[in-house]
Amino acid sequence: MNPLKRLGRRRASVLALLAVTTLVTPAAATAAPDAVRASTLGAQAAQSGRYFGTAVAAGRLGDGTYTGILDREFNSVTPENEMKWDTIERSRGSFNFGPGDQIANRAAARGQRLRGHTLVWHQQLPSWVSSIRDANTLRGVMNNHITQVMNHYKGKVYAWDVVNEAFADGGSGQMRSSVFRDVLGTGFIEEAFRSARSADPSAKLCYNDYNIENWSDAKTQGVYRMVRDFKARGVPIDCVGLQSHFGAGGPPSSFQTTLSNFAALGVDVQITELDIAQAPTAAYANTVRACMNVARCTGITVWGIRDSDSWRSGENPLLFDRNGNKKPAYQSTLTALGGSAAAQRTGAPSPRSTAALPSSFRWSSSGALIAPKPDATHNIAGIKDPSVVYYNGKYHVFASTASSAGYNLVYLSFSDWSQAGSATHHYLDRTAIGAGYRAAPQVFYNTQQRLWYLVYQTGNASYSTNPDIGNPNGWSAPRNFYSSMPDIIKQNIGNGYWVDMWVICDSANCYLFSSDDNGHLYRSQTTVGQFPNGFTNTVIAAQDSKFAMFEASNVYKVQGSNQYLLLVEAIGSDGRRYFRSWTASSLAGSWSPLAASESNPFAKSSNVTFPAGTWTRDISHGEMIRAGYDQTLTIPACRLQYLYQGKDPNAGGDYNNLPWRLGLLTQSNSTC
């Protein structure tokens, strides 16, 4: 939001900038917060932006016990055999998608993510393929198979195991003998990945293998060298799948190191076929915990539901017994995910399913849910710029307070939106955050430092920290991300103002976005380890005309996809505020329009209905309801909700005294 308006007649540039201070170290923090507890595996995994899936056999979908567990517990599915070559293309050029479609369509109807398994594998391969000896013929056959299958499932499959089990067991660290390697050479893997990217640019492309969990093994090192080489040369690879078929001892002691080292190459890691002989509780917990400790470990799939469904059925390796009852390892797994056997707390957001973002949006708005609560020392006219997280059974909302005297911050919490209007307002100028200009807050939990961060503007980009989000008196005094305004902003800001700072992190870097009321979106970055210090390399991330890219940018990770969503507030031809949207595959990438025009907006009064009456024509500065609360700012891909500011359409006068209120948008055209 424009600080000139927030400050009345004062320019932001006259504010004294605070000195940069040192990082608050993790030692200053208390224990990590309890996660929002869920009672099923998929719902709990979703709290951290992950999935918990299972292998599914089409032939078992008529079993009510099987499908009951499948639908209740898992938010991702992998066809066990139905997408393998000998099922889909048993005869050359003749494709049978029926069994795969049965699983894919059922998963889509239930909002479950779909992993594709597998495109190129030396086993379950028709004899007509394995007998080919001419390189050009085999190359054409392989690429055609990849293209036809991926085109058929485009938009339905989240990630593909493009190549499966291409490395040899033992101490060679080399690729195994197969028709593909023997006829095409070791370059067949690269060619398969390039063909896959061309066929479906949106799907994550994975290399999948077994016995690559122990870091020191030659096979693990061979796969690692390949992935490192692919990333260095720009070969499209997005993830590594570690099958994790363990003996009763569970994962090797270096398992988390292996996950971390692959992730450090810039790929996601996934546990793709987990089963553990005799299902020891500690072994399952240790496996899950290793994944949870690596930010880019995005999901876990167990290879079957009940012990009777397992390819290792004699070893009883799964989480449900032959009758479909939960085994002790189920509870240890749920606990390691951060869950609880108890039902979700009343008022918690329902587990959100994942799907592709649509190209247009429709919304239904609540009435005004949160209004100012003036007291003897706070004569407040408007409440604005909300940030919100759902944590520990409550919504925690931070917002700007506006009046003729200027701007500051307020905090309130409640268990259900019906309680929002009656929640106590805690004014943060009474805390170490202090009086004076503070506005446009953003809140998130830094999992590495075990601290809550409140980011806001003071004329600089500032932050405070707190070990307990529920304690409004626990916030530290303001510190600054920058010593002064970056030069590139000074050179482009014109008559605008430096506003609306926004921090988001991936597994390697943290990024700070900001606006200038002059058509520019800026981005700085630092490493996760340096955060909150070290923000440099400030660039113009996106730009447009002044009112088309005005302020109030939000950036989010879209759950279950290789996608980020950017929202920026614009001023329409009618003078009303609305939001445009873009997507990108990385936080440092370029942004492609999604719903980005006034005729097809992300959110504008023209695509919002007001069942309780039209109380605003402005859809202004706000924030998504997230799937979690950490620094990745992960949101669901469907059934979106957006907390925003609106006002009486007839209100006018001094900007600081406009009667802004907070309302909630709920997506009404969700497909899942």
Side-chain angles (χ1 to χ4, degrees):
M1 188 62 66
N2 188 329
L4 177 63
K5 295 172 181 175
R6 289 187 174 124
L7 288 166
R9 298 288 183 261
R10 288 179 295 155
R11 302 263 316 205
S13 59
V14 306
L15 292 172
L17 297 179
L18 301 173
V20 175
T21 56
T22 57
L23 168 67
V24 178
T25 64
T30 60
D34 293 333
V36 179
R37 304 296 184 179
S39 58
T40 63
L41 299 168
Q44 186 55 46
Q47 297 290 351
S48 62
R50 294 173 171 86
Y51 64 82
F52 200 99
T54 186
V56 173
R60 294 190 174 94
L61 293 177
D63 182 330
T65 301
Y66 182 91
T67 56
I69 300 170
L70 170 62
D71 295 344
R72 183 186 75 230
E73 295 289 342
F74 301 102
N75 61 348
S76 172
V77 299
T78 303
E80 192 166 352
N81 294 296
E82 290 77 3
M83 290 186 179
K84 291 174 180 172
W85 201 316
D86 66 351
T87 297
I88 283 185
E89 195 185 5
R90 185 176 293 273
S91 301
R92 183 173 181 178
S94 179
F95 290 86
N96 173 26
F97 294 111
D101 285 352
Q102 185 180 358
I103 293 174
N105 294 338
R106 191 181 191 283
R110 288 160 176 79
Q112 293 166 315
R113 195 174 308 181
L114 182 66
R115 293 192 80 262
H117 179 78
T118 177
L119 295 168
V120 179
W121 187 31
H122 65 282
Q123 292 188 4
Q124 291 183 243
L125 191 66
S127 59
W128 69 267
V129 181
S130 57
S131 63
I132 295 173
R133 290 295 175 265
D134 176 72
N136 288 332
T137 300
L138 183 59
R139 181 176 293 107
V141 163
M142 180 183 77
N143 289 336
N144 182 64
H145 181 81
I146 292 169
T147 300
Q148 295 298 324
V149 175
M150 291 188 73
N151 280 339
H152 181 81
Y153 289 108
K154 185 178 292 187
K156 297 180 179 180
V157 170
Y158 152 73
W160 274 104
D161 291 332
V162 178
V163 176
N164 195 50
E165 300 178 3
F167 277 75
D169 296 323
S172 72
Q174 303 300 310
M175 294 180 195
R176 69 169 70 246
S177 174
S178 71
V179 64
F180 300 106
R181 193 213 67 172
D182 296 347
V183 175
L184 298 177
T186 57
F188 85 90
I189 300 181
E190 176 176 342
E191 182 155 359
F193 274 85
R194 292 193 184 277
S195 182
R197 178 66 90 222
S198 296
D200 186 354
S202 297
K204 280 188 174 289
L205 308 182
C206 307
Y207 175 78
N208 191 55
D209 215 327
Y210 66 93
N211 285 355
I212 59 169
E213 295 82 16
N214 185 16
W215 175 243
S216 62
D217 284 356
K219 185 175 183 180
T220 306
Q221 291 298 309
V223 174
Y224 179 83
R225 286 192 297 271
M226 178 191 74
V227 176
R228 183 178 60 191
D229 172 62
F230 279 11
K231 294 299 291 184
R233 294 192 295 109
V235 179
I237 184 170
D238 303 309
C239 51
V240 173
L242 297 90
Q243 293 183 13
S244 304
H245 298 295
F246 295 135
S253 59
S254 64
F255 184 46
Q256 184 174 319
T257 298
T258 303
L259 295 174
S260 296
N261 286 344
F262 274 113
L265 294 176
V267 294
D268 291 343
V269 287
Q270 301 170 355
I271 298 173
T272 54
E273 302 182 19
L274 177 63
D275 46 28
I276 307 178
Q278 308 310 322
T281 57
Y284 262 101
N286 290 339
T287 303
V288 172
R289 197 172 295 116
C291 177
M292 296 296 288
N293 288 339
V294 176
R296 291 199 73 155
C297 184
T298 57
I300 299 170
T301 297
V302 288
W303 205 246
I305 295 177
R306 304 164 299 192
D307 286 334
S308 54
D309 306 316
S310 172
W311 69 300
R312 303 168 67 186
S313 59
E315 297 176 286
N316 298 321
L318 297 174
L319 299 176
F320 296 87
D321 68 19
R322 293 165 191 270
N323 295 318
N325 300 310
K326 297 173 184 176
K327 295 161 65 173
Y330 172 94
Q331 184 57 47
S332 69
T333 297
L334 185 63
T335 300
L337 286 168
S340 167
Q344 281 187 279
R345 291 184 175 95
T346 302
S350 60
R352 309 286 176 87
S353 301
T354 58
L357 289 172
S359 58
S360 63
F361 294 83
R362 294 193 300 274
W363 306 90
S364 176
S365 178
S366 69
L369 297 176
I370 301 174
K373 291 188 174 180
D375 64 14
T377 57
H378 297 86
N379 185 23
I380 297 166
I383 186 165
K384 312 174 57 179
D385 317 327
S387 181
V388 56
V389 292
Y390 186 86
Y391 161 67
N392 205 19
K394 290 185 176 182
Y395 292 97
H396 299 262
V397 174
F398 296 80
S400 304
T401 57
S403 70
S404 57
Y407 283 72
N408 207 272
L409 305 176
V410 67
Y411 162 73
L412 58 152
S413 64
F414 45 87
S415 298
D416 187 82
W417 290 107
S418 64
Q419 303 167 355
S422 59
T424 300
H425 287 207
H426 301 273
Y427 296 106
L428 299 186
D429 60 352
R430 294 170 173 166
T431 72
I433 287 175
Y437 177 57
R438 286 96 170 89
Q442 179 210 6
V443 68
F444 61 87
Y445 184 70
N446 186 301
T447 54
Q448 282 77 18
Q449 298 176 19
R450 301 160 75 90
L451 282 173
W452 291 94
Y453 272 77
L454 189 65
V455 177
Y456 48 94
Q457 62 190 48
T458 59
N460 197 337
S462 300
Y463 67 92
S464 296
T465 58
N466 191 344
D468 179 6
I469 192 174
N471 176 16
N473 295 314
W475 293 102
S476 67
R479 298 172 173 86
N480 291 343
F481 289 111
Y482 305 93
S483 59
S484 63
M485 182 187 292
D487 287 343
I488 192 170
I489 302 179
K490 294 177 183 177
Q491 294 159 8
N492 289 277
I493 196 169
N495 293 323
Y497 298 92
W498 187 27
V499 295
D500 299 331
M501 290 70 187
W502 182 271
V503 171
I504 180 172
C505 306
D506 58 25
S507 61
N509 296 301
C510 292
Y511 299 84
L512 197 160
F513 291 84
S514 59
S515 300
D516 67 1
D517 286 347
N518 193 34
H520 301 97
L521 177 72
Y522 302 100
R523 184 190 69 235
S524 304
Q525 72 183 72
T526 188
T527 65
V528 167
Q530 286 182 297
F531 180 82
N533 296 322
F535 275 105
T536 56
N537 191 30
T538 304
V539 298
I540 297 174
Q543 64 184 81
D544 206 329
S545 61
K546 177 182 179 72
F547 295 120
M549 186 167 279
F550 196 60
E551 58 187 23
S553 65
N554 306 198
V555 188
Y556 304 96
K557 177 72 168 69
V558 181
Q559 189 176 50
S561 72
N562 185 33
Q563 191 175 55
Y564 291 89
L565 174 69
L566 165 66
L567 307 179
V568 179
E569 185 176 344
I571 300 178
S573 57
D574 58 0
R576 302 294 186 181
R577 305 294 185 110
Y578 74 100
F579 277 93
R580 303 171 66 202
S581 60
W582 296 259
T583 59
S585 59
S586 75
L587 288 168
S590 58
W591 296 96
S592 301
L594 182 61
S597 66
E598 192 168 1
S599 60
N600 179 30
F602 180 78
K604 192 178 190 294
S605 59
S606 58
N607 67 340
V608 176
T609 60
F610 296 87
T614 304
W615 65 279
T616 180
R617 288 298 183 192
D618 290 275
I619 308 297
S620 185
H621 196 137
E623 190 175 294
M624 285 287 186
I625 308 299
R626 303 176 219 159
Y629 47 79
D630 69 12
Q631 70 277 359
T632 65
L633 307 189
T634 300
I635 60 169
C638 58
R639 294 199 286 274
L640 301 175
Q641 290 188 299
Y642 192 79
L643 184 64
Y644 73 103
Q645 66 180 37
K647 62 177 176 62
D648 182 343
N650 298 315
D654 180 71
Y655 187 84
N656 287 6
N657 286 319
L658 290 175
W660 293 101
R661 306 289 185 263
L662 304 184
L664 184 67
L665 296 180
T666 298
Q667 186 185 5
S668 57
N669 69 326
S670 178
T671 58
C672 57

